[in-house]
């Protein structure tokens, strides 16, 4: 049986639902086709179950893209304040956790509830358990699934990235982009823990669970946040942020004592020995980590000159991870549909009228902290308004 709509949205995630609701409320007949058994599954696990739904300090600099200007227009036309207004309209209690990150007080279900309610108001029809087998375009788009056929003059691809395959992530969005002749920037796991080489694993991984505030720098980007030692390498917000800029074979530089002068206490001590060096890390690093690190990177001597060199090394520990933990552990996928292929105003393909890409499938990747949802809202609003 063939069903006819004005708009078909592929994917009932954050972007797909928000776009569908917007188009539906503007009078369009909208169908959302979702592969899994229910909408918004990733939203439910986001932010540790509380969904970090936006960030009040959202700026274009918080996003990676081959074209750093692309996201500006959509982000400017739908801001964190706009989404917060909607959250408040639904009387969803929320709080700022840190660094402008807004979380639900209760549960991420408040956000999926909001999106589902908005979709109901727009008369959006949701079809779950839909496996897309083919998409074609003649005078209109035809989407065939294992159980039906859907037709519409506009097709919005909101199938997300490759992260967390066990939750149903697929490469359909990238395949459709290629099928219709659009370039796709190479994809890679981002906001992902990194894996130490064998020597560093041997040296540090028995300290799994130990954390410290560091500045992690890579490829011109720096993040001052917590770092966590894991059973395989490094994680924690500072490392997740840095991972989005990291390339295989490259080193990450870690300042283990941001804005602190570790050796000052050693220089002024009556007697200088390794114990004074270890103690000097108090307040900067957990004791076990400080001792282990000094064991592996001891000062060459305890002279003023050697301590000066040691101080520099504390602020510039160079670590070369061998890998990331991959899409299984990545919060997002960097790369994706080349933004030069899309209108920054509407997210519509420049080559194929009526074909739109929104959310994570596009080559726009946010920093950790609510920016990826803000991109999902902003890009889907941009598309939803023009459908
Ligand atoms: C563990 C985790 C925690 C996160 N926490 C946060 C957070 O707190 N704040 C934040 O800003 N970001 C967070 N993110 C990132 C954020 O969830 C994503 O960037 C965002 O969900 C992207 O929205 P989207 O709609 O583009 O894609 P998704 O939310 O991934 O939605 C895509 C939808 O398309 C469906 N789909 C896929 N393939 C097909 C197909 N072939 N046919 C039909 N449907 C298909 C999927 O099942 C899914 O429902 C987190 C990510 C993870 C993995």
């Amino acid at each position: 049986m063939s069903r006819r709509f004005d708009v078909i949205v592929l994917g009932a995630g954050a972007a797909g639902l928000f776009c569908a609701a917007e188009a539906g409320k503007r009078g369009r007949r909208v169908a959302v086709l979702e592969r899994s058994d229910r909408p918004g599954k990733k939203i439910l696990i986001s932010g540790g179950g509380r969904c970090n739904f936006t960030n009040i300090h959202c700026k274009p600099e918080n996003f990676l893209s081959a074209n750093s200007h692309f996201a500006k227009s959509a982000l400017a036309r739908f801001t964190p304040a706009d989404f917060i207004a909607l959250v408040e309209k639904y009387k969803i209690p929320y709080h700022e956790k840190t660094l402008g990150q807004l979380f639900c007080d209760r549960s991420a279900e408040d956000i999926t509830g909001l999106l589902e309610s908005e979709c109901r108001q727009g008369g959006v029809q949701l079809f779950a358990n839909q496996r897309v087998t083919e998409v074609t375009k003649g005078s209109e788009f035809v989407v065939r699934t294992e159980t039906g056929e859907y037709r519409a003059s506009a097709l919005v691809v909101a199938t997300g990235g490759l992260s967390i395959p066990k939750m149903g992530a697929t490469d359909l969005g990238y395949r459709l982009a290629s099928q219709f002749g659009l370039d796709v920037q190479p994809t890679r796991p981002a906001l992902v823990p990194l894996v130490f080489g064998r020597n560093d694993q041997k040296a540090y991984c028995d300290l799994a669970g130990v954390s410290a505030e560091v500045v992690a720098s890579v490829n011109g980007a720096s993040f001052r946040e917590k770092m966590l030692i894991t059973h395989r390498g490094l994680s924690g917000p500072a490392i997740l942020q840095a991972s989005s800029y990291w390339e295989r074979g490259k080193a990450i530089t870690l300042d283990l004592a941001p804005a602190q002068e570790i050796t000052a206490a050693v220089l002024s001590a009556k007697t200088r020995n390794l114990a004074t060096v270890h103690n000097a890390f108090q307040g900067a690093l957990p004791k076990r980590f400080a001792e282990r690190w000094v064991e592996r990177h001891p000062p060459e001597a305890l002279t003023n000159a050697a301590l000066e060199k040691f101080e520099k090394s504390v602020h510039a520990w160079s670590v070369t991870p061998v890998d990331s933990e991959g899409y299984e552990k990545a919060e997002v996928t960097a790369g994706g549909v080349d933004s030069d292929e899309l209108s920054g105003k509407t997210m519509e393909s420049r080559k194929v009228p009526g074909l739109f890409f929104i959310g994570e499938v596009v080559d726009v990747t946010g920093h950790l902290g609510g920016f990826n949802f803000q991109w999902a809202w902003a890009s889907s609003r941009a598309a939803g308004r023009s459908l």
Side-chain angles (χ1 to χ4, degrees):
M1 193 182 76
S2 186
R3 297 179 169 100
R4 184 165 264 107
F5 295 88
D6 297 321
V7 181
I8 297 169
V9 178
L10 297 181
L17 291 172
F18 202 52
C19 176
E22 181 66 28
K25 288 196 290 183
R26 294 178 53 248
R28 304 291 179 269
R29 286 170 306 146
V30 184
V32 180
L33 309 186
E34 167 57 46
R35 184 174 176 273
S36 73
D37 57 350
R38 62 160 296 176
K41 271 190 166 174
K42 203 179 271 182
I43 299 172
L44 293 175
I45 59 158
S46 69
R50 296 232 163 122
C51 187
N52 176 195
F53 55 81
T54 192
N55 191 301
I56 53 176
H57 304 309
C58 185
K59 290 197 244 25
E61 296 77 60
N62 297 115
F63 297 86
L64 291 85
S65 173
N67 174 357
S68 60
H69 300 294
F70 173 74
K72 285 180 180 170
S73 165
L75 290 169
R77 284 178 299 123
F78 190 79
T79 64
D82 293 323
F83 195 74
I84 293 165
L86 192 58
V87 166
E88 291 178 350
K89 185 174 139 198
Y90 278 81
K91 301 195 171 12
I92 296 173
Y94 66 91
H95 60 280
E96 180 183 346
K97 199 166 169 189
T98 172
L99 302 170
Q101 302 168 4
L102 300 190
F103 285 77
C104 297
D105 286 355
R106 295 184 301 226
S107 140
E109 278 189 39
D110 281 344
I111 299 297
T112 52
L114 175 159
L115 294 170
E116 286 173 74
S117 168
E118 289 285 297
C119 281
R120 274 195 300 278
Q121 285 171 45
V124 172
Q125 290 189 54
L126 176 72
F127 301 89
N129 298 311
Q130 294 297 311
R131 283 177 188 262
V132 175
T133 52
E134 189 186 37
V135 176
T136 56
K137 182 175 193 276
S139 58
E140 60 188 353
F141 288 94
V142 181
V143 178
R144 292 195 180 83
T145 71
E146 283 173 354
T147 52
E149 188 181 278
Y150 303 81
R151 291 169 177 269
S153 55
L155 178 69
V156 180
V157 182
T159 45
L162 300 169
S163 313
I164 323 284
K166 66 173 189 266
M167 291 203 63
T170 74
D171 64 353
L172 178 67
Y174 309 119
R175 279 193 282 120
L176 287 177
S178 301
Q179 178 189 326
F180 284 103
L182 277 63
D183 283 339
V184 177
Q185 289 287 333
T187 58
R188 61 179 196 285
L191 298 181
V192 63
L194 297 174
V195 179
F196 271 149
R198 199 179 308 158
N199 287 342
D200 284 331
Q201 250 179 39
K202 266 199 202 144
Y204 298 105
C205 286
D206 63 312
L207 301 178
V210 168
S211 71
E213 186 176 324
V214 302
V215 178
S217 306
V218 59
N219 251 339
S222 284
F223 300 93
R224 181 174 176 164
E225 285 187 68
K226 280 251 152 95
M227 172 186 91
L228 174 75
I229 299 178
T230 71
H231 289 106
R232 297 189 67 204
L234 294 174
S235 187
I239 299 299
L240 297 179
Q241 300 277 34
S243 75
S244 299
Y245 292 82
W246 177 74
E247 290 163 44
R248 210 177 281 258
K250 287 256 166 78
I252 288 188
T253 305
L254 299 167
D255 180 346
L256 296 176
Q260 293 188 50
E261 204 185 323
I262 290 295
T263 53
V266 187
L267 290 166
S268 60
K270 276 198 186 124
T271 44
R272 293 181 186 181
N273 53 32
L274 268 189
T276 40
V277 175
H278 288 152
N279 290 340
F281 281 90
Q282 229 174 25
L285 290 183
K287 192 163 181 281
R288 286 199 301 154
F289 182 34
E291 285 178 2
R292 187 68 57 84
W293 194 83
V294 174
E295 208 176 277
R296 309 219 7 122
H297 307 86
E300 284 164 13
L302 294 173
T303 59
N304 288 4
L307 286 172
E308 199 178 308
K309 199 167 157 202
F310 176 74
E311 181 76 46
K312 282 196 181 125
S313 69
V314 172
H315 300 287
W317 180 29
S318 177
V319 176
T320 306
V322 290
D323 208 346
S324 80
E325 297 256 13
Y327 290 116
E328 279 74 20
K329 295 275 174 68
E331 262 193 29
V332 285
T333 301
V337 178
D338 195 322
S339 55
D340 285 348
E341 299 280 6
L342 307 176
S343 152
K345 277 224 163 90
T346 64
M347 304 294 132
E348 187 174 14
S349 160
R350 294 183 192 281
K351 285 179 187 148
V352 186
L355 179 63
F356 296 73
F357 289 84
I358 56 172
E360 197 179 315
V361 73
V362 179
D363 173 31
V364 174
T365 306
H367 287 172
L368 188 75
F371 301 103
N372 283 297
F373 278 133
Q374 188 56 37
W375 169 245
W377 315 137
S379 58
S380 32
R381 171 60 72 96
R385 284 261 156 116
S386 72
L387 283 162

